[in-house]
Amino acid sequence: MSAYARHARKVFQTFLDERPVTRPEPVSACTLCRWKTHCKAEWDRDDSLALVAGISRRMHPTVCSYISSAVYEGRLHPDEAAGTQTLTDAAGTSLVGAGVRPVIHTGRSQVSPEEIAAIKARIDAVLGATYRSRNGAERVIGHGDILVVAPYNAQVNALRAALPSAVRVGTVDRFQGQEAPVCLVSMTTSSGEELPRDIEFLFSLNRINVAVSRAQASAMVFASPLLLETPCRTVAEMALVNALCLLREHGGEAF
């Protein structure tokens, strides 16, 4: 076997070993697809406890209240122990919450160096903070307590190259079922004009739900302000973009 063939085989095997578990993501064509019933069952199975009982054991009430409003029509509530979680910095300031952190950039489609820099700065800010879990155990936040989610593989790869290896970075596919005290989300795309795919992909409610609801105490979405002004052609598209606008209002200027 030639050296090139051995290299090609190694690259292919690495791809097979490291490929993420894929899952259905809703798009506009779903209504025409014969698999739509199967896909809906997959979405429902992802968070069966929340759907059936309307209870979240993971999210602090401040995070859960956004997910409840945006995704579950106000029917999702945290259990009592979830509300005992805390996250405070060295000065004693609470870092608990969910919101949008604006990052100014233009012309970015699938990679945003500006959002990578903002996420690096946020990681530096939360390192060393003290997290108290639902069972009362306390620990100091390290790189392994932080999830970073991005919609595109190109941004994921750029984030992995820029961040410490202990920080978990990936798309929502990778983090299904996982959790962490801190979850940081990069929207990446500058505006509606730079969207590499349709609105339903980037603004998918399922995508926002999975990304934000990984957080136990703090969820921060980094996004260009222009992205929140994405033109919409249908009421359904308006509802998707509005979910991100709702998160900005939820967190306010202080978060």
Side-chain angles (χ1 to χ4, degrees):
M1 183 182 293
S2 68
Y4 174 80
R6 287 194 298 271
H7 174 71
R9 181 177 180 179
K10 180 179 179 181
V11 170
F12 180 65
Q13 188 61 51
T14 300
F15 167 76
L16 292 178
D17 293 340
E18 297 181 356
R19 60 180 176 174
V21 177
T22 58
R23 58 187 310 281
E25 291 290 345
V27 296
S28 57
C30 283
T31 56
L32 306 176
C33 180
R34 65 189 180 92
W35 289 96
K36 63 182 180 181
T37 302
H38 169 78
C39 291
K40 184 178 185 304
E42 288 291 318
W43 303 329
D44 291 350
R45 190 156 46 245
D46 285 341
D47 200 359
S48 57
L49 178 61
L51 288 169
V52 174
I55 298 172
S56 169
R57 300 181 72 255
R58 174 188 302 126
M59 294 177 281
H60 185 277
T62 309
V63 180
C64 185
S65 59
Y66 164 70
I67 293 295
S68 180
S69 298
V71 182
Y72 293 101
E73 300 178 339
R75 298 192 300 268
L76 183 65
H77 305 283
D79 70 359
E80 185 175 351
T84 65
Q85 298 176 104
T86 61
L87 181 66
T88 54
D89 64 15
T93 302
S94 175
L95 303 178
V96 171
V100 173
R101 179 65 58 89
V103 181
I104 306 299
H105 55 81
T106 58
R108 305 301 188 189
S109 180
Q110 298 186 59
V111 176
S112 171
E114 296 82 1
E115 291 187 19
I116 294 173
I119 287 172
K120 288 178 65 177
R122 184 60 179 176
I123 290 174
D124 290 340
V126 300
L127 282 176
T130 301
Y131 169 67
R132 185 175 67 194
S133 69
R134 56 182 286 119
N135 62 12
E138 292 190 355
R139 69 176 185 268
V140 174
I141 292 293
H143 288 124
D145 295 307
I146 301 170
L147 294 183
V148 179
V149 185
Y152 314 116
N153 287 330
Q155 182 74 342
V156 167
N157 292 335
L159 283 161
R160 284 177 176 164
L163 301 178
S165 59
V167 176
R168 288 173 282 171
V169 183
T171 63
V172 294
D173 297 334
R174 179 185 178 191
F175 296 131
Q176 197 72 35
Q178 295 191 40
E179 62 186 19
V182 179
C183 184
L184 308 177
V185 183
S186 171
M187 294 298 289
T188 308
T189 305
S190 295
S191 71
E193 294 182 358
E194 283 84 25
L195 283 172
R197 299 174 66 172
D198 55 22
I199 286 178
E200 288 88 348
F201 176 81
L202 183 59
F203 290 93
S204 160
L205 268 184
N206 183 67
R207 185 178 299 278
I208 294 294
N209 178 25
V210 173
V212 173
S213 66
R214 299 311 90 192
Q216 293 166 298
S218 179
M220 184 172 288
V221 175
F222 297 81
S224 162
L226 292 176
L227 192 62
L228 279 68
E229 302 174 5
T230 297
C232 301
R233 296 170 296 177
T234 66
V235 173
E237 289 182 350
M238 290 176 62
L240 295 177
V241 176
N242 185 62
L244 190 60
C245 297
L246 178 64
L247 181 58
R248 179 182 60 181
E249 295 174 2
H250 179 84
E253 299 296 329
F255 186 74

